[in-house]
Amino acid sequence: MTPATSLFSPVEADLHILADNLKKLVGNDHPILSLAAEHLFGAGGKRIRPAIVLLVSRATMLQDDITPRHRRLAEITEMIHTASLVHDDVVDESETRRGVDTVHSLFGNRVAVLAGDFLFAQASWYLANLDNLDVVKLLSQVIMDLATGEILQGVNRFEVDISMDTYLQKTYYKTATLFANSSKAAGVLSEVSEETAETLYEYGRNLGLAFQIVDDIFDFTSSADALGKPAGSDLKDGHLTAPVIYALEEKPELKKLIEQEFEESGDLEKALALIEDTKCFERSRDLAAYHAKLAVEHIVQLPSSPTRQTLIDMADYVLSRLN
């Protein structure tokens, strides 16, 4: 599997600048919030979302260097993503994320909620200062979508009749909207045509869906150490993802275990064993591959360049994480 870090070599220098700027953007006016931000941004991570923004920026600015506004958009994208993670961890009562202590486990729920709000507010302020109304609308839509996705996930907990369409809609709101709208926003800043901007949106949307479907497979197939949380955590919390939806078609007896919310000892383990005994992971991978293929079909419409090739390779990377 190609590591994300080597995949992003065309924008490696840009990502170093981004990492330095993220901490500066939060500022030192609020010591606790600054400490929380230092913890969040210091934790590193793959920076996939801002990397895609920077790659799209360079792929659409072939004759010129990217502008400070492109860089700021990448930073805003990571701030929005990070803010959403802070809130998600409070809602899910997660003590760790990818093996790192969450903000609320270190500072308490009150600070965590405020830290997430603060990052959203900061992102919105810097967004407004880009002085591009179309970009403001695109990224503001992301913030609304993230909240909508969290609500949709909450109201569908332990809902065994959830359809694949509803799952994909929730997945778009919670994950793919940021991929889609930030990719399009990068193109808007590059002053691409409306048609190209929509192509970039569809690339991001399908890549984001593929990315999350793969993550949802990982929730069952990866070790607790790799996940930073127990395997099957989403199912235990009542969040039915693609593998479970497919497994329910093959194992109707799963339905009762989920409906009773694993109230009896051993119920979750029984459910996991049933899921393991289906073709749900293979079918989920096929679903992810379908969306990855759609992403590539849209991005190949850009002029040929090393950065366009990296965006194409991103689709392979997303799927290769399962190998």
Side-chain angles (χ1 to χ4, degrees):
M1 183 179 81
T2 304
T5 47
S6 62
L7 189 62
F8 297 153
S9 57
V11 290
E12 185 178 359
D14 298 323
L15 287 171
H16 282 304
I17 294 170
L18 175 133
D20 291 338
N21 283 351
L22 281 172
K23 295 172 190 175
K24 294 174 187 173
L25 289 179
V26 176
N28 298 311
D29 294 340
H30 310 278
I32 293 293
L33 292 176
S34 296
L35 198 61
E38 178 77 26
H39 170 71
L40 286 164
F41 296 133
K46 295 186 180 71
R47 309 273 194 228
I48 286 174
R49 292 154 187 83
I52 289 170
V53 170
L54 292 163
L55 287 165
V56 169
S57 300
R58 291 203 172 277
T60 52
M61 294 283 287
L62 295 179
Q63 305 306 316
D64 303 288
D65 196 8
I66 60 173
T67 68
R69 292 200 300 171
H70 287 104
R71 294 187 185 280
R72 184 50 49 86
L73 174 64
E75 292 155 7
I76 290 166
T77 297
E78 185 67 356
M79 290 175 80
I80 290 173
H81 172 57
T82 304
S84 72
L85 294 184
V86 175
H87 282 174
D88 282 357
D89 288 337
V90 173
V91 171
D92 297 339
E93 300 179 349
S94 302
E95 295 301 310
T96 61
R97 178 177 285 275
R98 299 291 185 259
V100 177
D101 291 335
T102 56
V103 172
H104 85 88
S105 71
L106 289 174
F107 304 101
N109 281 355
R110 185 188 298 269
V111 170
V113 171
L114 291 174
D117 290 348
F118 181 70
L119 286 174
F120 275 131
Q122 284 282 73
S124 298
W125 190 85
Y126 286 115
L127 186 58
N129 279 275
L130 288 178
D131 289 327
N132 187 305
L133 185 56
D134 288 335
V135 172
V136 171
K137 288 178 179 178
L138 287 168
L139 274 294
S140 297
Q141 184 65 52
V142 170
I143 296 174
M144 288 192 291
D145 287 346
L146 289 169
T148 301
E150 200 61 50
I151 292 166
L152 196 59
Q153 179 169 277
V155 299
N156 283 309
R157 288 181 73 231
F158 298 104
E159 178 50 67
V160 292
D161 294 322
I162 186 173
S163 68
M164 187 59 73
D165 284 345
T166 300
Y167 160 75
L168 289 172
Q169 182 186 40
K170 182 267 295 180
T171 301
Y172 171 79
Y173 286 141
K174 281 185 62 70
T175 301
T177 180
L178 185 54
F179 282 78
N181 285 296
S182 62
S183 295
K184 182 176 179 179
V188 170
L189 290 178
S190 299
E191 299 181 359
V192 301
S193 67
E194 282 188 33
E195 183 182 353
T196 299
E198 282 307 310
T199 290
L200 293 169
Y201 171 88
E202 287 297 330
Y203 167 78
R205 185 179 78 87
N206 283 289
L207 188 72
L209 289 173
F211 183 88
Q212 188 57 53
I213 294 164
V214 168
D215 261 12
D216 291 339
I217 297 171
F218 275 152
D219 188 61
F220 293 96
T221 61
S222 285
S223 67
D225 287 343
L227 285 171
K229 60 180 181 178
S233 289
D234 286 342
L235 178 61
K236 183 181 179 183
D237 291 337
H239 307 318
L240 275 57
T241 55
V244 183
I245 294 169
Y246 284 134
L248 277 163
E249 294 177 11
E250 294 183 54
K251 302 283 186 180
E253 57 267 43
L254 252 181
K255 189 172 180 179
K256 184 180 177 183
L257 293 169
I258 295 170
E259 284 179 331
Q260 64 191 28
E261 301 183 13
F262 314 114
E263 62 183 3
E264 295 181 15
S265 177
D267 276 359
L268 180 62
E269 289 71 24
K270 287 179 191 173
L272 292 173
L274 286 169
I275 290 166
E276 186 73 33
D277 189 36
T278 69
K279 290 185 166 58
C280 70
F281 301 134
E282 183 182 331
R283 293 177 71 189
S284 297
R285 192 191 190 287
D286 288 345
L287 182 64
Y290 168 76
H291 285 288
K293 182 173 179 285
L294 283 179
V296 170
E297 287 175 2
H298 283 95
I299 207 67
V300 292
Q301 296 178 44
L302 290 183
S304 179
S305 71
T307 43
R308 186 195 74 166
Q309 185 57 49
T310 302
L311 289 166
I312 292 169
D313 292 342
M314 271 299 302
D316 288 334
Y317 162 73
V318 166
L319 296 178
S320 72
R321 293 159 68 220
L322 289 170
N323 296 338

